[in-house]
Amino acid sequence: MSPPAAGAIELRPLGNTGLNVSSLGFGASPLGNVFGNVSEEEALAAVRRAFRLGINFFDTSPYYGGTLSEKVLGKALKALGVARDQYIVSTKCGRYKEGFDFSAERVTRSIGESLERLQLDYVDILHCHDIEFGSLDQIVNETIPALVKLKEAGKARFIGITGLPLQIFTYVLDRVPQGTVDVVMSYCHYSINDSTLEDLLPYLKRKGVGVISASPLAMGLLTEPGPPEWHPASPELKAACRAAASYCKGKGKNISKIAIQYSLANAEISTILVGMKSVAQVEENVAAATEVTATASGKEEETLSEISNILKHVKNQTWPSGNDTQQS
């Protein structure tokens, strides 16, 4: 398969890594059946379609589906039949189906297991997964030094950290030498209902850190069907998002499309990571990323303004980190 045609999706620099990532990234957690069963055929077709439409960034974790997501993504990427430098892969360590383990020994073993499942010699980014569930001092003094050794060994090109509370990023970045952590992945903090990541962007830029923002749909809050039952948001926030989705539907609009476009509009964020599990989802999300004309944009501004008004009383209302979240 030849590389995708240029210009389909905008490419953006990822901090100081030298990587240029598609502004829309493929979140592979759904390939681990965490949001309903996905056949291998559907999964492979979704990855193939994403790549053909210009998505070059694929993210997974051994936690998603108890390693299933990594296995399926690995098979799908191999089936593309393209040179390794045509796509960018990130996986994670420290969070597993069995629980959390940020020890140097476990994260070192973890990357070997992940590479085998992904059928790769290296990953582009190795993230320390949901670090708020561990000791941040252990992350600083033990885990990240272990990841640096893995980087030096060529198993990962760059190092990242992920989590929900924004203060974890400054805690770690202020305690490691600049340039040690290359990327942060935040989730649910740059969407229509919560834009608190914006306040952190100047700091991250000064630190030379690339920014990945996951879940612009707020783990399903900003969708017509609504969030899964386990979603940790308050009843008040869920009700407001339901009202916003209903308003959009009444206007013949899709709240998810508007939410993705809202998140993509900030060029300081390198890539917006969206979970995908079918060709239809891929095409819908890519359309949202590429169908931004001046006319359409003007019409969406009006709708976005009304959505923002509906959500005003719950703006930036967050929730505690929970063990059930699959997005980060």
Side-chain angles (χ1 to χ4, degrees), residues 250-303:
K251 292 285 185 181
K253 310 276 186 184
N254 184 312
I255 192 169
S256 299
K257 179 179 178 180
I258 295 168
I260 287 171
Q261 290 177 335
Y262 171 88
S263 296
L264 284 168
N266 192 330
E268 295 296 310
I269 296 170
S270 298
T271 184
I272 302 296
L273 199 59
V274 183
M276 306 186 218
K277 63 179 182 178
S278 67
V279 168
Q281 280 185 350
V282 168
E283 291 178 343
E284 190 176 293
N285 292 331
V286 169
T290 54
E291 284 175 6
V292 185
T293 65
T295 313
S297 183
K299 289 178 182 173
E300 298 305 6
E301 280 299 323
E302 188 183 330
T303 310

Side-chain angles (χ1 to χ4, degrees), residues 63 93-102 106 129 133 323:
Y63 174 61
C93 62
R95 184 170 198 178
Y96 311 97
K97 190 179 179 182
E98 315 80 62
F100 295 91
D101 188 342
F102 296 105
R106 183 66 186 101
H129 195 177
F133 289 100
N323 282 329

Side-chain angles (χ1 to χ4, degrees), residues 98-139:
E98 315 80 62
F100 295 91
D101 188 342
F102 296 105
S103 67
E105 186 278 329
R106 183 66 186 101
V107 299
T108 301
R109 185 158 42 93
S110 183
I111 185 60
E113 296 164 352
S114 290
L115 291 175
E116 191 173 332
R117 287 188 288 264
L118 287 163
Q119 303 182 59
L120 297 174
D121 296 325
Y122 66 90
V123 291
D124 298 280
I125 306 163
L126 179 58
H127 291 285
C128 199
H129 195 177
D130 287 347
I131 59 174
E132 69 267 29
F133 289 100
S135 154
L136 293 184
D137 290 328
Q138 182 190 27
I139 302 296

Side-chain angles (χ1 to χ4, degrees), residues 95 130 132-133 163-167 187-189 194 219 230-235 237 316-326:
R95 184 170 198 178
D130 287 347
E132 69 267 29
F133 289 100
L164 183 63
L166 293 174
Q167 65 270 25
Y187 70 105
C188 293
H189 284 307
D194 184 334
M219 299 192 313
W230 50 257
H231 199 291
S234 70
L237 178 53
N316 297 337
Q317 186 184 107
T318 190
W319 51 81
S321 298
N323 282 329
D324 292 330
T325 60
Q326 295 276 354

Side-chain angles (χ1 to χ4, degrees), residues 166-175 200 203-204 207:
L166 293 174
Q167 65 270 25
I168 61 175
F169 299 126
T170 53
Y171 187 94
V172 170
L173 291 170
D174 284 344
R175 288 165 176 78
L200 197 61
Y203 166 88
L204 295 171
K207 291 282 187 179

